[in-house]
Amino acid sequence: MGSSVGMSMGASGIRAVRTSDGHSFTVETFPSARSVPDAEDVAHAIRAIVDRPDAPTSLGVAFPDPDYSSALKTALVEEYVSEVHIISEISGTIEQLRADPEFRYRTVALYDLGATGLEMTIADIDSGTIYAATRSNELSGSSIDWTVREHLLTLDILAEPRNHEEEASLLEFSREIKEALSTHEATQTSDGQFRLMDRRMFDLQIIRPAERTAIALRDLAEMSEIPPEVVVAIGGGARIPLIRDVLSRYLRIPVVVPDAPELMAAEGAALYATRVDGARPPAPTVAKRSARTLLTPLLRFGLPSIVAIGFLSWMVWPDDGTDRTVAGTPVTTIADTASTTKVTASDEPASAADRSALPAAPTVTATTTAAPQPDPEAPAPHSGNGGASYDGGSYGGGNYGGGYVVPPPPPPPPPAPFGLPRIELPQIQLPPIPRLPFP
């Protein structure tokens, strides 16, 4: 079994988990300059993973919303990365719960408290059916960070931030305090002089919005077709102890918080990619073709095409003596024959040399009557007074003694043989597209 990588997005950056057995996972984080990584950041991280010598055999990404999915697909095309399985964060969580042998519940209420908002879903684990889902901005990781920030400013130990960089540093410091209060009772400065915030004060700051979200989840569970058997709290905000207590008090069903609630979607994406690639059938082998299979399409399609092309060529380029219309009806043309033309001149040449300088006789088109043939028994014409004979006519005595026969024009050249032009298809050299090796 090859390794698989799953990825998800959060306030801390891009989280990538790798597994080889489907049970143990190693975590790697790709930092992002933005509060929430965008599609281009995720595509760059995937590009870095597949270019490594230990590139995974399967790769999946869990996206927070449908718009993010379409943007991620476009970014992956620009990075020339293929074979990436993209699923929703809810589907990734269901995939992880389905693969957990210790999780014995079927209908669950998912409480996903992330950096930008809260996703609440009632789903069936076995079939993956979503019975009800809603999103709330009543509580989020960013809103909790802002609450801690406001409390720190009331202590009169911090100055108001003057620019964007100072504001970002203060929010990051507030996030560290929030995470520390998930496991500790109080926080203080490194020198111990100032007590920053304790868990009791923290709970008082967020208990009202937490209770409202618990009521909203209870109403969603009542509207679903099948009531949930358990609440699964995921996302970075699920580590807050108050969240588990409020959910248990308002829904009165067990509340489960995984060991790494912020990695549930990424782990599920890795398991989903492994399952889909493992179920893919092997590529079919190319069978050898016999002579019969090669000749059958030629006899079925090739010979009729050749006959049709030959008939069209016969219609377009007919024989020398006949012109045909499209219907094939012969059209009689006027034959080129000789015509006798008598020429008189008042200024006759005085000698044979002058007569030889005469211009060539014009070509005259006559009727279809054949030219008269000379009589074999008639005496041969002779020239008189130094005249010269020319095709039955003579130049004698300085005057033209008869007509002359116009030679027929040369036959037209034969038509060029019919042939189809050679088609040259352009060859486009694509850039190298890395593909993930599959077992």
Side-chain angles (χ1 to χ4, degrees), residues 10 24 36 41 54 67 105 131 134 204 206 208 283 290 314 405 415:
S24 59
V36 177
D41 295 336
D54 59 342
D67 294 336
Y105 301 97
Y131 296 124
T134 186
L204 289 175
I206 66 172
R208 294 306 178 194
S290 61
W314 176 72
V405 178

Side-chain angles (χ1 to χ4, degrees), residues 53 81 170 193 234 238 253 311 358 382:
V81 178
L170 180 57
Q193 295 184 2
I234 58 176
I253 56 177
F311 177 75
L358 289 174
H382 60 280

Side-chain angles (χ1 to χ4, degrees), residues 162-234:
R162 296 167 298 180
N163 50 48
H164 178 73
E165 288 76 13
E166 294 181 355
E167 183 68 47
S169 299
L170 180 57
L171 285 175
E172 180 64 26
F173 185 68
S174 302
R175 185 180 301 111
E176 293 176 359
I177 294 177
K178 177 191 67 176
E179 295 174 356
L181 291 175
S182 298
T183 56
H184 296 76
E185 292 294 332
T187 58
Q188 61 184 9
T189 58
S190 58
D191 54 7
Q193 295 184 2
F194 297 98
R195 187 180 183 92
L196 298 176
M197 195 174 193
D198 56 19
R199 182 178 293 179
R200 178 177 174 276
M201 180 61 65
F202 178 74
D203 292 345
L204 289 175
Q205 296 287 339
I206 66 172
I207 188 171
R208 294 306 178 194
E211 289 178 342
R212 286 193 289 267
T213 59
I215 294 174
L217 180 60
R218 185 184 62 186
D219 296 341
L220 186 68
E222 293 176 354
M223 292 186 300
S224 63
E225 299 178 5
I226 301 177
E229 303 170 356
V230 64
V231 177
V232 178
I234 58 176

Side-chain angles (χ1 to χ4, degrees), residues 124-147:
D124 184 273
I125 296 300
D126 293 344
S127 63
T129 304
I130 305 297
Y131 296 124
T134 186
R135 179 178 176 84
S136 173
N137 294 324
E138 185 73 31
L139 190 65
S140 66
S142 299
S143 66
I144 297 176
D145 295 341
W146 192 265
T147 300

Side-chain angles (χ1 to χ4, degrees), residues 17-150:
V17 298
R18 181 186 292 263
T19 180
S20 299
D21 55 4
H23 302 287
S24 59
F25 295 87
T26 58
V27 185
E28 180 182 7
T29 302
F30 294 86
S32 175
R34 303 171 179 84
S35 58
V36 177
D38 60 4
E40 287 74 15
D41 295 336
V42 178
H44 293 330
I46 295 175
R47 173 84 263 178
I49 291 176
V50 300
D51 285 344
R52 295 174 180 175
D54 59 342
T57 57
S58 301
L59 201 154
V61 178
F63 63 86
D65 56 75
D67 294 336
Y68 202 104
S69 173
S70 59
L72 179 57
K73 292 178 181 179
T74 304
L76 289 175
V77 171
E78 296 177 355
E79 289 290 337
Y80 300 106
V81 178
S82 60
E83 303 296 339
V84 178
H85 302 281
I86 304 176
I87 62 174
S88 65
E89 292 182 348
I90 297 299
S91 299
T93 302
I94 293 175
E95 189 76 24
Q96 168 62 321
L97 294 176
R98 185 187 295 126
D100 187 0
E102 298 181 358
F103 189 80
R104 305 185 182 278
Y105 301 97
R106 178 171 180 177
T107 307
V108 300
L110 297 177
Y111 185 91
D112 186 2
L113 182 56
T116 59
L118 172 64
E119 299 282 348
M120 294 177 288
T121 307
I122 311 297
D124 184 273
I125 296 300
D126 293 344
S127 63
T129 304
I130 305 297
Y131 296 124
T134 186
R135 179 178 176 84
S136 173
N137 294 324
E138 185 73 31
L139 190 65
S140 66
S142 299
S143 66
I144 297 176
D145 295 341
W146 192 265
T147 300
V148 176
R149 172 194 178 277
E150 294 296 319

Side-chain angles (χ1 to χ4, degrees), residues 306 309-310 312-314 316-317 415-421:
I306 294 174
I309 291 173
L312 291 176
S313 63
W314 176 72
V316 174
W317 291 288
F418 177 78
L420 294 176

Side-chain angles (χ1 to χ4, degrees), residues 140-376:
S140 66
S142 299
S143 66
I144 297 176
D145 295 341
W146 192 265
T147 300
V148 176
R149 172 194 178 277
E150 294 296 319
H151 173 76
L152 294 177
L153 292 177
T154 61
L155 300 178
D156 294 332
I157 61 175
L158 297 175
E160 287 283 347
R162 296 167 298 180
N163 50 48
H164 178 73
E165 288 76 13
E166 294 181 355
E167 183 68 47
S169 299
L170 180 57
L171 285 175
E172 180 64 26
F173 185 68
S174 302
R175 185 180 301 111
E176 293 176 359
I177 294 177
K178 177 191 67 176
E179 295 174 356
L181 291 175
S182 298
T183 56
H184 296 76
E185 292 294 332
T187 58
Q188 61 184 9
T189 58
S190 58
D191 54 7
Q193 295 184 2
F194 297 98
R195 187 180 183 92
L196 298 176
M197 195 174 193
D198 56 19
R199 182 178 293 179
R200 178 177 174 276
M201 180 61 65
F202 178 74
D203 292 345
L204 289 175
Q205 296 287 339
I206 66 172
I207 188 171
R208 294 306 178 194
E211 289 178 342
R212 286 193 289 267
T213 59
I215 294 174
L217 180 60
R218 185 184 62 186
D219 296 341
L220 186 68
E222 293 176 354
M223 292 186 300
S224 63
E225 299 178 5
I226 301 177
E229 303 170 356
V230 64
V231 177
V232 178
I234 58 176
R239 293 182 178 272
I240 302 174
L242 177 68
I243 298 297
R244 178 186 297 181
D245 297 339
V246 170
L247 292 176
S248 178
R249 184 168 68 251
Y250 277 86
L251 278 82
R252 300 185 180 278
I253 56 177
V255 178
V256 175
V257 180
D259 295 336
E262 70 277 1
L263 300 178
M264 287 289 291
E267 294 175 356
L271 297 177
Y272 174 80
T274 302
R275 179 171 63 85
V276 172
D277 291 339
R280 180 179 301 176
T285 57
V286 180
K288 296 181 179 180
R289 296 187 177 183
S290 61
R292 181 176 181 180
T293 58
L294 293 176
L295 291 176
T296 298
L298 178 62
L299 295 176
R300 181 174 299 179
F301 303 104
L303 290 181
S305 301
I306 294 174
V307 173
I309 291 173
F311 177 75
L312 291 176
S313 63
W314 176 72
M315 294 297 299
V316 174
W317 291 288
D319 297 338
D320 295 342
T322 306
D323 292 336
R324 283 179 168 83
T325 61
V326 176
T329 305
V331 178
T332 304
T333 57
I334 300 176
D336 294 333
T337 57
S339 175
T340 303
T341 305
K342 185 176 292 184
V343 180
T344 59
S346 58
D347 298 334
E348 297 180 356
S351 63
D354 297 331
R355 290 194 299 272
S356 62
L358 289 174
T363 302
V364 181
T365 303
T367 61
T368 57
T369 306
Q373 301 295 330
D375 190 359

